[in-house]
Amino acid sequence: MVKATPFLLVLFLALGAHGLSVKKCSLTGRWVNDLGSNMTITAVNGNGDFSGMYHTAVTATSNEIKVSPLQGSMQKGPNQRGQPTFGFTVNWSFSDSITVFTGQCFVDNEGKEVLRTMWLLRSRVENINNDWKATRVGTNIFTRLSFQE
Ligand code: BTN
């Protein structure tokens, strides 16, 4: 028992140091996706709620694109391990549509933060007979924009 104590101490310190050095993924900040759309997420509050602005690079409409508000929620459960799941809604200010995104904030193999998402874009249609064609689905990958970009 006496011999095991220093070993356990070293093991405990090593595991602790490793825990401290593991990089976490934070949603806060400016992001760009694979379509060239930009998004800014302002601070995530203690409940995991956040808001921000979304500037899409593309539109399914013929309307002029405008920056639009987003509201979201990040999972704060104990098992997220610095790579949290989240969802957010963009209420487009220039169209009748709504998009919901769901995803996870990862630290990739190069240590870079990346948001892997899926989305549903719901367009407004004139009547119920057109409901079948009202929803598009896709994926987006977001990477962090640094100060200069
Ligand atoms: C609209 O066309 O009615 C609103 C804009 C929709 C833009 C979509 S949302 C999913 C995809 N990801 C983006 O960054 N932009 C498109």
Side-chain angles (χ1 to χ4, degrees):
M1 178 61 193
V2 177
K3 274 187 184 167
T5 307
F7 170 74
L8 288 174
L9 187 66
V10 169
L11 185 67
F12 178 77
L13 289 173
L15 289 175
H18 180 257
L20 289 176
S21 69
V22 171
K23 188 173 171 189
K24 294 184 173 176
C25 186
S26 164
L27 287 178
T28 307
R30 294 173 59 225
W31 301 88
V32 61
N33 74 16
D34 49 298
L35 292 169
S37 300
N38 280 254
M39 150 173 99
T40 302
I41 294 178
T42 42
V44 181
N45 76 15
N47 294 326
D49 301 330
F50 60 87
S51 56
M53 300 305 284
Y54 201 106
H55 191 179
T56 181
V58 296
T59 175
T61 72
S62 54
N63 302 341
E64 184 193 341
I65 291 172
K66 294 195 173 114
V67 176
S68 302
L70 71 84
Q71 286 204 308
S73 185
M74 187 186 80
Q75 172 59 255
K76 295 266 294 176
N79 302 317
Q80 299 294 312
R81 293 170 152 268
Q83 300 197 111
T85 52
F86 61 87
F88 64 86
T89 300
V90 187
N91 192 338
W92 302 107
S93 57
F94 61 91
S95 83
D96 295 326
S97 313
I98 287 271
T99 302
V100 291
F101 287 82
T102 184
Q104 187 167 351
C105 189
F106 288 108
V107 177
D108 72 12
N109 297 332
E110 277 74 53
K112 287 197 168 171
E113 293 167 299
V114 60
L115 309 180
R116 291 288 183 109
T117 69
M118 281 198 79
W119 51 261
L120 292 172
L121 166 60
R122 173 70 197 207
S123 299
R124 182 184 172 280
V125 286
E126 208 47 48
N127 60 60
I128 198 168
N129 298 326
N130 291 330
D131 180 65
W132 64 271
K133 61 179 179 181
T135 307
R136 292 172 169 86
V137 62
T139 60
N140 279 138
I141 298 175
F142 293 82
T143 53
R144 189 177 284 286
L145 276 171
S146 54
F147 289 116
Q148 298 93 312
E149 294 165 305

